[in-house]
Amino acid sequence: MTEPDRLNKAEYAYVWLRDRIRSREYEPGHRLVLSSIAAELEVSPVPVREAIRQLEAEGLVTYERNVGARVSTLNQDAYFETMETVALLEGRATALSIPHLGPGQLAKARELNEKMEATLQDFDPQAFTELNRKFHRTLFGACPNKRLLELLYEEWDRLDYFRDSTFRFIPQRARSSVAEHFQLVGLIEAGADPTYVEQKARDHRLATSTTYRNIIESTDSPSTAHD
């Protein structure tokens, strides 16, 4: 096998494993057996080992002596820390965007939220999440502080390592989220104090995190420790 082939297979194994961890097909604590994964992917153990090392560096996998690689059970804390960071950055970026948002952008945000509202009838968490991302990008995308935006997108990427869509696990939160979106757009259209809008945008993101945390605590099950 040539070096490029090996690297391509390692990338393939990485994506394959990451998707199963993020979708919870592989639950926290699930043992990653190198030979079994390699056989399923029809590759040698070498690229699978590389993929597992990369996932370990990202915190999705932990290695235990005499046991081997397992799906990390520590992602829950990292997820909530990242959500808190996103809330702070997103709130500030939204506030700084306000002077640069025109009627067209606000109309686009409202239209996206109406599409989100429509998905509630036959709920598709993945579609809802993608619309949710577009909605928030529309509101904070005009932020003139480019470094702030870079940090925010970095934290968004970090969230993607932890779950495909939080709304898969807390679909009951979706309806409240849509209502809060309409409120945010309405506040901006009405010329509300940007500091107040920042607080509402931050509280909106934290409400999702809090709802998810409450679900985890109420079930008190190890299987909910990831995402």
Side-chain angles (χ1 to χ4, degrees):
M1 186 187 304
T2 64
E3 184 73 10
D5 286 340
R6 185 176 66 83
L7 291 175
N8 287 338
K9 289 178 181 179
E11 292 169 0
Y12 171 69
Y14 165 79
V15 172
W16 189 89
L17 284 167
R18 186 194 63 184
D19 287 348
R20 277 152 185 76
I21 293 172
R22 287 172 54 196
S23 67
R24 291 175 39 145
E25 182 176 336
Y26 288 171
E27 297 280 3
H30 178 89
R31 188 180 173 204
L32 300 174
V33 181
L34 199 71
S35 58
S36 298
I37 295 171
E40 184 165 358
L41 296 181
E42 298 183 343
V43 299
S44 77
V46 176
V48 177
R49 185 179 295 111
E50 289 190 13
I52 289 175
R53 285 175 180 167
Q54 179 62 33
L55 292 165
E56 183 180 5
E58 293 169 359
L60 290 180
V61 170
T62 55
Y63 186 85
E64 302 175 28
R65 186 181 296 274
N66 300 324
V67 175
R70 291 184 181 273
V71 176
S72 176
T73 59
L74 302 177
N75 292 332
Q76 176 182 316
D77 289 339
Y79 167 80
F80 288 118
E81 289 174 359
T82 304
M83 280 290 281
E84 182 177 358
T85 304
V86 168
L88 293 169
L89 295 173
E90 199 167 275
R92 187 59 182 157
T94 300
L96 292 176
S97 287
I98 290 175
H100 309 282
L101 291 175
Q105 289 156 304
L106 292 174
K108 178 182 177 182
R110 189 173 288 279
E111 179 184 355
L112 286 166
N113 199 45
E114 288 171 352
K115 290 181 179 178
M116 292 176 71
E117 187 175 39
T119 68
L120 298 176
Q121 299 176 10
D122 186 14
F123 191 60
D124 179 346
Q126 198 61 47
F128 187 91
T129 294
E130 184 56 35
L131 288 167
N132 185 55
R133 291 172 177 170
K134 290 179 180 179
F135 171 86
H136 285 290
R137 281 198 299 264
T138 300
L139 291 188
F140 69 63
C143 174
N145 187 328
K146 300 306 179 186
R147 179 54 183 158
L148 176 56
L149 285 178
E150 288 176 5
L151 291 171
L152 177 52
Y153 282 125
E154 286 174 10
E155 292 303 300
W156 267 28
D157 288 342
R158 181 171 168 80
L159 276 180
D160 283 342
Y161 286 126
F162 297 120
R163 84 288 186 273
D164 287 323
S165 170
T166 302
F167 292 102
R168 281 205 306 126
F169 311 107
I170 49 169
Q172 68 274 25
R173 167 67 186 149
R175 190 169 298 278
S176 297
S177 183
V178 166
E180 290 163 14
H181 285 176
F182 280 128
Q183 182 186 37
L184 277 174
V185 175
L187 286 171
I188 296 172
E189 289 173 333
D193 186 336
T195 301
Y196 181 66
V197 176
E198 177 178 353
Q199 176 187 328
K200 299 301 289 185
R202 183 175 64 247
D203 291 348
H204 163 70
R205 175 66 77 169
L206 290 175
T208 299
S209 177
T210 299
T211 301
Y212 188 33
R213 186 188 295 274
N214 290 340
I215 290 293
I216 291 174
E217 292 176 351
S218 66
T219 56
D220 193 27
S221 168
S223 66
T224 60
H226 178 65
D227 276 85

